[in-house]
């Protein structure tokens, strides 16, 4: 017995683009290159997974019968995107084949039975924490970039998410830098601490950017090894990383000797200019800090490369404490500055060999700690 489904082409294409981010590339299991398509309480559900992240989208459709099959994601997406008509009709014959009609187009796509697709657990979201989508997106963007990409240290490939009382905190580190972002919750929650792959959170940002929901339901089940994020008609389920996250409070400097305050956008621009030279010199730049009150101090941003030359940018700043010169990886410094939303940035330093604290002026919710780089002669 055949089943028929009629869907809006634009909605179908958008839904495929969302779940397509979770399709495994070069999978060991052929079904992981496919999208699961099934009827679910009068709607059509699309789902994909790479076994670390699973994404599901529910969409309105005209259903004639129940369907459940998987079709190759790339083939299906390319066909749907090529169609000019506003509607797409599927006729499902058997368990793994769909006949597609739209306008003048007719085609058949062969897939794999739905029973071969990994089971997607269902969770009750009654106990989920409800967050503003914009806040969650900002927190991820302020931290996930600092996670490691070194597969030899899986724990550092994740972002630690902590729910304690009425505070949500995210932290990420690759051993050279640390980013911590905190936010107040509207309710008090039971304490939980998990490590979420940074890659899953970056996909969450892409989904939030594409769908623009107001709120996100965040659920960390008491049992199991997954975290659930539900935003509107999209659900993401990510595996958690097992292990112990570093006690980063131990490396946060408790005091400083030199405190520098300057315009965030000016320093970011100077870093981008210096990076042109620094990229040929190990990405190293130096900040020369000369004390002065009320913007009479100065920060000189220096870059030098034996191959390409040198550059220097002088910026006004308010600097208290002893004069010093400290070197950083310019890309790492840029990353931290791009996460700061305030007009001014504060840089707190002790010596040219110890970590620097970089934070938004007047805000305590964000902290970026950066290890300095060694420069010959220092």
């Amino acid at each position: 017995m055949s089943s028929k489904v009629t869907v809006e082409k634009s909605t179908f294409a958008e839904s495929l683009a969302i779940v397509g981010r979770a399709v495994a590339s070069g999978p060991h299991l052929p079904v992981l290159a496919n999208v699961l398509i099934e009827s679910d309480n009068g709607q059509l559900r699309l789902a994909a997974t790479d076994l670390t992240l699973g994404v599901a989208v529910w969409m309105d459709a005209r259903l004639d019968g129940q369907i459940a099959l998987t079709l190759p994601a790339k083939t299906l997406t390319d066909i749907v995107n090529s169609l000019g008509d506003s509607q797409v009709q599927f006729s499902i014959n058997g368990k793994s084949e769909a006949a597609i009609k739209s306008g003048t187009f007719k085609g058949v796509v062969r897939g794999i039975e739905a029973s071969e697709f990994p089971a997607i657990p269902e969770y009750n979201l009654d106990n989920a924490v409800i967050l503003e989508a914009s806040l969650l997106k900002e927190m991820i963007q302020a931290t996930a970039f600092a996670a490691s990409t070194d597969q030899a240290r899986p724990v550092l490939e994740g972002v630690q998410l902590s729910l304690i009382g009425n505070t949500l905190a995210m932290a990420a580190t690759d051993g050279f830098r640390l980013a911590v972002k905190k936010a107040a919750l509207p309710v008090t929650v039971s304490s939980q601490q998990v490590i979420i792959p940074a890659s899953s959170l970056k996909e969450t940002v892409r989904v939030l950017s594409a769908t623009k929901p107001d709120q996100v339901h965040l659920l960390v089940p008491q049992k199991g090894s997954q975290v659930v994020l539900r935003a509107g008609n999209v659900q993401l389920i990510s595996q958690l990383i097992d292990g112990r996250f570093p006690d980063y409070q131990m490396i946060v400097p408790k005091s400083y000797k030199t405190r520098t305050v300057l315009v965030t956008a000016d320093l970011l621009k100077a870093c981008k200019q210096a990076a042109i030279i620094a990229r040929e010199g190990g990405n190293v730049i130096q900040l020369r800090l000369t004390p002065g009150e009320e913007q009479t101090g100065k920060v000189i941003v220096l870059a030098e490369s034996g191959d390409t030359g040198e550059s220097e940018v002088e910026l006004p700043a308010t600097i208290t404490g002893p004069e010093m010169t400290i070197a950083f990886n310019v890309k790492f410094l840029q990353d931290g500055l791009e996460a700061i939303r305030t007009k001014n940035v504060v840089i707190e330093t002790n010596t040219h060999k110890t970590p620097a604290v970089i934070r938004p002026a007047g805000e305590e919710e964000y902290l970026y700690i950066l290890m300095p780089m060694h420069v010959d002669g220092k």
Side-chain angles (χ1 to χ4, degrees):
M1 179 180 174
S2 68
S3 302
K4 287 186 179 180
V5 184
T6 305
V7 293
E8 291 293 325
K9 183 251 179 175
S10 59
T11 305
F12 196 31
E14 289 167 6
S15 299
L16 283 170
I18 291 170
V19 299
R21 304 288 310 190
V23 173
S25 56
H28 298 301
L29 295 172
V31 76
L32 296 183
N34 287 13
V35 173
L36 174 69
I37 303 173
E38 62 180 357
S39 44
D40 184 9
N41 292 322
Q43 287 190 302
L44 196 65
R45 182 173 76 150
L46 309 184
T49 183
D50 61 6
L51 298 183
T52 296
L53 177 69
V55 180
V57 178
W58 285 261
M59 52 183 286
D60 292 331
R62 197 159 67 245
L63 298 166
D64 180 10
Q66 299 295 305
I67 73 159
L69 82 165
T70 78
L71 296 175
K74 187 173 189 325
T75 301
L76 182 60
T77 300
D78 288 348
I79 287 175
V80 171
N81 287 339
S82 76
L83 300 175
D85 204 68
S86 62
Q87 290 193 327
V88 182
Q89 187 181 82
F90 288 82
S91 296
I92 313 301
N93 296 305
K95 296 181 178 180
S96 60
E97 187 173 286
I100 300 176
K101 288 176 61 178
S102 180
T104 58
F105 176 86
K106 290 182 181 179
V108 173
V109 180
R110 296 183 179 88
I112 299 173
E113 290 187 22
S115 60
E116 300 290 319
F117 197 81
I120 299 174
E122 293 187 10
Y123 291 102
N124 184 335
L125 297 177
D126 288 348
N127 294 322
V129 178
I130 300 175
L131 304 171
E132 293 296 321
S134 57
L135 172 64
L136 179 62
K137 184 176 169 182
E138 182 182 338
M139 293 191 72
I140 295 170
Q141 290 174 323
T143 54
F145 69 84
S148 176
T149 56
D150 182 359
Q151 295 181 350
R153 305 180 71 186
V155 167
L156 299 189
E157 289 184 278
V159 176
Q160 185 188 67
L161 184 146
S162 305
L163 292 165
I164 302 173
N166 64 347
T167 301
L168 169 66
M170 287 188 180
T173 181
D174 60 6
F176 302 100
R177 54 188 173 161
L178 165 71
V180 183
K181 178 80 172 176
K182 295 181 179 180
L185 296 173
V187 294
T188 300
V189 297
S190 56
S191 295
Q192 290 177 294
Q193 204 165 65
V194 294
I195 306 171
I196 305 172
S199 57
S200 297
L201 291 174
K202 289 174 183 176
E203 288 304 330
T204 299
V205 168
R206 292 188 181 99
V207 168
L208 296 178
S209 297
T211 58
K212 296 180 173 57
D214 292 328
Q215 295 179 323
V216 178
H217 287 70
L218 168 69
L219 177 69
V220 182
Q222 295 291 343
K223 294 181 180 180
S225 58
Q226 296 177 317
V227 62
V228 185
L229 293 154
R230 178 71 185 253
N233 66 326
V234 182
Q235 180 169 280
L236 300 96
I237 300 178
S238 175
Q239 295 293 331
L240 299 174
I241 297 174
D242 189 29
R244 183 181 292 275
F245 199 78
D247 183 2
Y248 59 82
Q249 298 291 354
M250 298 286 290
I251 66 167
V252 177
K254 302 297 186 288
S255 60
Y256 59 85
K257 291 180 180 176
T258 302
R259 185 175 191 267
T260 302
V261 182
L262 71 165
V263 177
T264 311
D266 290 351
L267 182 55
L268 183 56
K269 180 180 178 182
C271 286
K272 290 177 179 177
Q273 291 168 333
I276 298 167
I277 298 295
R279 66 190 176 203
E280 302 298 334
N283 275 331
V284 180
I285 64 165
Q286 294 185 59
L287 301 186
R288 188 174 295 159
L289 311 176
T290 303
E293 298 289 340
E294 302 294 331
Q295 298 291 300
T296 62
K298 60 184 178 182
V299 175
I300 297 178
V301 183
L302 300 162
E304 187 176 350
S305 165
D307 294 328
T308 52
E310 55 191 53
S311 73
E312 178 179 316
V313 179
E314 183 176 316
L315 303 172
T318 300
I319 303 176
T320 56
E323 181 174 335
M324 72 174 300
T325 299
I326 188 166
F328 295 116
N329 177 309
V330 67
K331 174 68 170 64
F332 287 2
L333 181 55
Q334 269 183 245
D335 287 342
L337 292 172
E338 285 171 351
I340 289 174
R341 307 299 175 96
T342 54
K343 178 183 176 182
N344 291 336
V345 60
V346 178
I347 303 174
E348 296 169 350
T349 48
N350 280 295
T351 74
H352 66 275
K353 294 181 179 179
T354 54
V357 176
I358 300 167
R359 64 170 92 235
E363 286 188 13
E364 299 298 321
E365 291 82 10
Y366 187 62
L367 188 69
Y368 187 59
I369 296 177
L370 187 55
M371 288 295 295
M373 295 188 75
H374 175 75
V375 177
D376 291 340
K378 292 286 180 184

